[in-house]
Amino acid sequence: MSVIARLTAGRPEARRIAEFLERDFGEDGVAVAFFEAGQNWSVEAWFPEGTPETIATTVRDHLGADAFAAPIITETVPETDWVTESQKGLTPVVAGRFIVYGSHSRRHIPAGRIGIRIDAGQAFGTGHHGTTAGCLEILDQLCRSRRFHNPLDLGTGSGVLAIALAKLLKVPVLASDIDPLAIKVARENAALNHVGPLVRPLTAPGLHHATVRQRAPFDLIVANILAEPLMALAPQVTRMLAPGGNLLLSGLLPRQRERVTAAYQRQGLHFRGATIHSGWAVLIFARPAPPPEPYW
Ligand code: SAH
């Protein structure tokens, strides 16, 4: 039985606890996330095995003094065949409300889930990689609390994230990639998933394309590339993000998190949190919105 452990603390403690849990349990397949939750920060650690009691004890013992500052809530996560299969590394992959499946494993999509059909091919993004699955999970969470109207998927690969957004939000999604072959695949996949009219794939290095400039600013940008290009793209990406908009970055290792975060904070973005999925980090930022104009 899988168990999720949650605790809330101030930002420095939450961060320390998340890093601690990741370091000690990451290799056992424990996924750790920490993110802003109102006034505080929340840490979630997802244990593939255990009972709520044993996990609470394990976490409390590990945290020592920190555990007193942060009461630990544990609960079991109901397992379904889909989750079990994805844990075994078989298709399909479950991430948030999404299920990414290949045509050979096509089957009934359970109620409440959004199916995305992607065959392993010439473009990256079948959902199996921790970076893609991590992005899908966070996109699902972000879209639960907010409605986005104009998203950009930068480095779309197979188009998986753009397709997910089009299916979830039912709005036009711009999907760019430096590789023309990826764009061809993304276009085919969008059509196969019946979101061809919504997903607009285009070949562009970074954000250099007239259509990208025309459609900017975006209220949501997701970029699953790599740490170095992400840092180089920080000024351009920030310029294209609407005030109040959200940015998701992936394709980086936890040890690269500080440098990538600093590059985007230098551009004035607010760091909202990070998750670690199968050893890969996803970073979440927001562009601060200007204070409302006084009406007198
Ligand atoms: N979004 C997909 C694919 C990620 S792989 C997913 O989450 O699974 C990263 C993709 O980024 C590759 O297809 C690569 O061609 C593209 N890429 C790398 N550098 C880029 C750049 N500077 N501008 C645009 N795309 C880039």
Side-chain angles (χ1 to χ4, degrees):
M1 185 66 90
S2 322
V3 175
I4 189 159
R6 289 196 183 86
L7 50 88
T8 309
R11 180 175 167 172
E13 295 81 35
R15 187 200 176 99
R16 191 170 64 235
I17 291 169
E19 282 173 358
F20 203 42
L21 293 175
E22 166 64 22
R23 192 195 66 202
D24 289 356
F25 297 112
E27 283 183 6
D28 302 332
V30 176
V32 183
F34 82 106
F35 46 87
E36 209 172 11
Q39 299 284 313
N40 273 314
W41 283 61
S42 194
V43 180
E44 286 187 2
W46 187 87
F47 290 75
E49 279 170 8
T51 64
E53 296 73 28
T54 55
I55 297 300
T57 310
T58 308
V59 173
R60 201 170 288 120
D61 287 352
H62 247 78
L63 298 181
D66 272 335
F68 294 102
I72 301 158
I73 297 160
T74 50
E75 64 181 81
T76 51
V77 182
E79 269 170 283
T80 66
D81 284 353
W82 296 95
V83 175
T84 314
E85 284 196 22
S86 84
Q87 278 169 4
K88 283 193 215 141
L90 303 173
T91 52
V93 175
V94 177
R97 266 173 288 178
F98 303 109
I99 292 177
V100 191
Y101 62 94
S103 49
H104 60 285
S105 66
R106 189 168 190 178
R107 60 182 80 184
H108 175 67
I109 304 297
R113 299 276 190 187
I114 300 168
I116 303 171
R117 179 177 159 192
I118 305 279
D119 284 317
Q122 289 161 305
F124 184 101
T126 56
H128 286 91
H129 200 260
T131 57
T132 313
C135 285
L136 286 171
E137 275 171 13
I138 301 295
L139 286 175
D140 178 31
Q141 275 180 32
L142 282 179
C143 293
R144 281 178 193 271
S145 55
R146 181 170 166 190
R147 180 110 184 94
F148 296 96
H149 301 278
N150 187 22
L152 166 69
D153 175 16
L154 174 58
T156 195
S158 66
V160 56
L161 303 179
I163 293 167
L165 286 169
K167 286 199 158 190
L168 191 59
L169 300 170
K170 300 183 175 57
V171 298
V173 183
L174 204 56
S176 71
D177 204 289
I178 199 167
D179 177 2
L181 184 61
I183 289 306
K184 181 175 170 282
V185 174
R187 185 173 291 115
E188 288 166 5
N189 282 334
L192 206 70
N193 283 277
H194 312 291
V195 285
L198 289 179
V199 175
R200 166 85 197 272
L202 52 87
T203 308
L207 297 143
H208 293 294
H209 196 288
T211 305
V212 177
R213 284 191 294 275
Q214 275 159 20
R215 299 242 311 229
F218 302 94
D219 53 3
L220 175 64
I221 300 179
V222 54
N224 178 11
I225 310 185
L226 284 170
E228 293 301 327
L230 285 176
M231 284 190 285
L233 286 166
Q236 292 180 42
V237 168
T238 304
R239 265 199 305 278
M240 299 282 179
L241 188 63
N246 285 142
L247 169 68
L248 246 75
L249 301 179
S250 190
L252 51 129
L253 300 167
R255 64 180 159 76
Q256 297 169 320
R257 190 164 68 190
E258 288 298 311
R259 284 173 59 224
V260 178
T261 302
Y264 281 83
Q265 281 175 324
R266 272 198 295 278
Q267 302 299 321
L269 294 194
H270 171 64
F271 175 59
R272 287 188 59 198
T275 69
I276 315 272
H277 197 295
S278 312
W280 292 87
V282 182
L283 308 181
I284 309 147
F285 295 89
R287 181 163 179 181
E293 293 276 323
Y295 57 85
W296 61 86

